[in-house]
Amino acid sequence: MLIKSFRMKSINIKNALLFFCIMFLNSAVNAQEIIKDSAVVAENTIKTTSQRQKIDGVIATVGDYIVLDSDIDKAYLEISSQGGSVKDITRCQMLGKLLEDKLYAHQAIQDSVKVTDAEVKTMMDERLSYMIQQIGSIEKVIKYYKKDSEEEFRSYFFDILKENKLTVAMRDKIVDGVEITPEEVRNFFKKIPKDELPLFGAEMEVAQIVVEPKITQVEKQKVIDRLNSFKKDIQEGSSFATKAVLYSQDPGSRSSGGFYKMTRKTPFVKEFKDVAFSLDEGEISEPFETEYGYHIIYLEKIKGQELELRHILLTPTVTAESLEEAKEKITLIRKRIVDKEISFADAARSSSDQKETRANGGVLINPNTQDTRFELTKMDPTLYSQVSNLKDNEISMPILDETPAGKKQYKIITVTNRINEHTADYAQDYVKIKDLALKEKQIKAIAKWFDEKIKETYIKIVGEYRECNFTNNWLKK
């Protein structure tokens, strides 16, 4: 949440905040939550329908876009499907959100902001896969959205997602150019009354040294030989997808037969992308190595700049001997640090196998803030359990850890700095204050943009919705 002192007098800025809140309601959802929120939507719909007793029709026009009365109910449904609560959102507020979306999308087209059908289709496939996983089947998804067929649902959903993509692209275009200077950060902080300064929770800075067990050439060759055997079987008629389901060690694609869609912008590791884009359609790669293990890729289709492919990942076995050697090595490193032969930072630079932290003396970077501090209440539970009982300058005993890629490794960890709960301090909390100042400036930029574009865009609202107390000047009064 934004800090108390971050309340803005401008009604438009409050509206921008509401927009941000609704736009990013994208937390995890389960079927029970969907059903619960669906009941709320249904109740709202029944109430408003019985009150108005009118046929669905156009209630607003924004540029080239229209808003139907039923679009409000669909918006409730869409937020519910993403795990958001709709019980405190009024129909007027929802209409205000829809008007904002339409204005963003309309202006995106005027500004020639590009959103390709391929991008939308990829997004739709990902979202649909998630919905099926939560609800159970494509038939249940279609029924949930009250559509008669998969084709009708896909057409409807495609249009929604394309408009959403235009909306996000236009908003990003507005805020991407917003920058903040040190002087602006200083002025932002000075304007906060002392009794309204934010309270920052307890934080700590953490460093670690990692030793990875060595994988023997024998184990590597076993995996390469097995992948070559898979490739031979597939070339002789076996199904690549079936092999992937049975043997691939990639949990993200195994159930779909190793299937991925990707472009050059897809955040895959460089080695994987290099091989994928070197293949011809229908070709299977030679086994190759990434940080995750060894792969083979089958390139199914090339669609412009997008590839459709399948892959199989196998990870070489780490022998018990290699694991024990890694433990012995890190135990020796710890002893040298405890005996004051070397500092933790220098030991990290010379001996850690984790390239992301090695050059920085082993100091971890918070992935959520890109800062070195971790707020205790928001820290990853596993990391918190490893450091919570460490005293100042204490070095943990060797910890057997497992990476997201499934690799086992040993590490030692220490707390390099503790920051107690405190009232915001300009020097100590500059990064956080800068982030708040930038958010304020971005919100002001959005509010100014809305003021300008509403004045120059054709906008019409009809019927009872003209009585809504909008936070933006949609009625141009």
Side-chain angles (χ1 to χ4, degrees):
M1 291 180 63
L2 295 176
I3 59 176
K4 181 173 69 171
S5 61
F6 202 49
R7 292 174 300 186
M8 309 303 298
K9 293 182 179 179
S10 168
I11 290 177
N12 287 330
I13 292 174
K14 287 183 180 177
N15 191 50
L17 282 169
L18 176 63
F19 167 77
F20 274 119
C21 292
I22 298 176
M23 277 297 295
F24 294 105
L25 287 172
N26 199 20
S27 56
V29 61
N30 58 42
Q32 289 182 338
E33 288 172 329
I34 290 174
I35 293 169
K36 181 180 177 182
D37 273 341
S38 294
V40 175
V41 174
E43 184 179 354
N44 286 343
T45 304
I46 292 169
K47 286 181 179 178
T48 53
T49 301
S50 63
Q51 289 168 356
R52 290 194 302 271
Q53 292 293 320
K54 69 176 186 180
I55 299 173
D56 181 36
V58 176
I59 58 173
T61 305
V62 180
D64 298 327
Y65 288 87
I66 62 170
V67 181
L68 300 175
D69 200 35
S70 60
D71 287 339
I72 296 178
D73 300 310
K74 291 174 183 177
Y76 279 122
L77 200 63
E78 178 64 13
I79 291 175
S80 298
S81 74
Q82 296 182 54
S85 174
V86 298
K87 58 185 178 182
D88 294 324
I89 303 175
T90 68
R91 293 185 74 83
C92 283
Q93 287 175 327
M94 188 63 80
L95 176 57
K97 166 63 171 57
L98 292 175
L99 294 173
E100 290 175 358
D101 289 349
K102 304 301 182 187
L103 184 56
Y104 274 125
H106 170 77
Q107 194 60 43
I109 293 172
Q110 306 308 306
D111 291 357
S112 300
V113 174
K114 299 297 183 184
V115 172
T116 67
D117 287 354
E119 290 176 311
V120 179
K121 188 174 184 300
T122 298
M123 184 179 178
M124 181 167 68
D125 289 341
E126 291 171 353
R127 287 279 297 279
L128 188 54
S129 175
Y130 177 75
M131 289 180 190
I132 292 172
Q133 182 183 358
Q134 295 300 322
I135 300 180
S137 68
I138 182 63
E139 289 76 20
K140 289 181 179 178
V141 173
I142 294 168
K143 183 178 180 181
Y144 175 68
Y145 277 91
K146 298 179 174 60
K147 299 301 176 185
D148 294 328
S149 66
E150 182 176 347
E151 182 181 359
E152 182 186 0
F153 168 74
R154 283 183 174 274
S155 177
Y156 155 78
F157 202 44
F158 184 92
D159 290 341
I160 288 178
L161 293 180
K162 185 164 188 177
E163 186 177 315
N164 286 349
K165 289 278 285 183
L166 285 169
T167 294
V168 172
M170 190 66 237
R171 190 203 66 239
D172 288 347
K173 182 179 178 181
I174 298 167
V175 300
D176 282 350
V178 179
E179 297 179 347
I180 195 93
T181 67
E183 183 64 24
E184 288 175 312
V185 177
R186 189 179 301 109
N187 291 335
F188 168 81
F189 185 73
K190 286 180 178 179
K191 287 189 298 184
I192 304 175
K194 287 188 177 181
D195 61 347
E196 292 188 4
L197 286 170
L199 188 68
F200 292 133
E203 298 173 309
M204 63 173 59
E205 293 178 317
V206 179
Q208 67 182 24
I209 296 173
V210 174
V211 173
E212 297 175 351
K214 304 302 179 186
I215 298 173
T216 66
Q217 192 57 45
V218 172
E219 294 300 326
K220 290 181 180 180
Q221 194 59 49
K222 285 181 182 178
V223 167
I224 293 171
D225 291 344
R226 196 174 188 202
L227 288 172
N228 277 323
S229 174
F230 290 163
K231 179 178 178 179
K232 184 174 183 293
D233 289 345
I234 293 160
Q235 288 173 331
E236 292 176 355
S238 294
S239 165
F240 193 106
T242 300
K243 293 280 189 187
V245 169
L246 292 174
Y247 304 111
S248 181
Q249 292 173 281
D250 175 18
S253 68
R254 183 172 53 225
S255 63
S256 62
F259 183 77
Y260 279 120
K261 291 183 181 181
M262 62 177 286
T263 67
R264 291 194 180 275
K265 294 182 179 180
T266 305
F268 285 7
V269 292
K270 181 179 184 299
E271 298 88 347
F272 192 95
K273 291 169 76 171
D274 287 347
V275 172
F277 280 96
S278 71
L279 298 175
D280 293 324
E281 197 169 283
E283 186 179 0
I284 302 175
S285 74
E286 297 295 324
F288 65 96
E289 186 178 11
T290 72
E291 63 188 76
Y292 297 97
Y294 285 83
H295 313 249
I296 53 173
I297 294 176
Y298 167 50
L299 183 57
E300 285 193 341
K301 291 181 182 178
I302 301 174
K303 294 183 175 180
Q305 300 300 311
E306 183 182 69
L307 305 182
E308 293 186 0
L309 57 84
R310 296 183 186 275
H311 89 121
I312 297 173
L313 167 67
L314 294 181
T315 305
T317 301
V318 175
T319 64
E321 292 80 5
S322 294
L323 206 56
E324 186 59 31
E325 287 175 7
K327 184 177 181 180
E328 290 176 0
K329 180 179 177 180
I330 204 162
T331 301
L332 179 59
I333 293 170
R334 181 183 184 277
K335 184 176 185 303
R336 291 185 64 205
I337 298 170
V338 171
D339 291 346
K340 310 295 184 184
E341 293 180 28
I342 189 172
S343 70
F344 193 100
D346 286 342
R349 293 186 186 99
S350 63
S351 304
S352 181
D353 290 329
Q354 188 175 53
K355 59 184 180 181
E356 296 87 355
T357 63
R358 185 170 55 219
N360 200 28
V363 175
L364 295 178
I365 301 298
N366 188 331
N368 298 320
T369 64
Q370 298 306 307
D371 189 11
T372 57
R373 296 184 186 180
F374 291 82
E375 189 172 340
L376 300 192
T377 58
K378 298 178 182 177
M379 185 180 283
D380 175 79
T382 301
L383 179 61
Y384 179 78
S385 68
Q386 293 169 350
V387 301
S388 59
N389 293 323
L390 290 178
K391 299 176 182 177
D392 290 344
N393 301 315
E394 182 182 0
I395 314 298
S396 73
M397 297 301 292
I399 300 168
L400 180 58
D401 197 33
E402 188 167 314
T403 71
K407 287 188 175 182
K408 291 182 178 180
Q409 59 187 20
Y410 273 98
K411 70 179 183 182
I412 54 176
I413 197 163
T414 188
V415 177
T416 59
N417 189 23
R418 297 179 193 272
I419 303 97
N420 294 325
E421 183 178 80
H422 63 283
T423 301
D425 175 84
Y426 181 75
Q428 185 175 341
D429 302 303
Y430 179 81
V431 173
K432 289 186 177 66
I433 294 165
K434 178 183 177 181
D435 185 52
L436 291 173
L438 179 60
K439 282 186 173 70
E440 180 192 59
K441 192 171 180 181
Q442 289 174 337
I443 290 171
K444 286 181 177 179
I446 288 174
K448 181 181 178 183
W449 184 88
F450 270 114
D451 285 343
E452 293 173 352
K453 297 306 175 185
I454 286 174
K455 289 175 184 176
E456 63 187 49
T457 305
Y458 175 76
I459 297 169
K460 183 179 181 181
I461 299 171
V462 301
E464 66 201 58
Y465 290 103
R466 291 187 61 81
E467 304 302 318
C468 286
N469 185 23
F470 295 115
T471 50
N472 276 317
N473 188 25
W474 297 111
L475 299 172
K476 299 187 180 184
K477 293 181 179 178

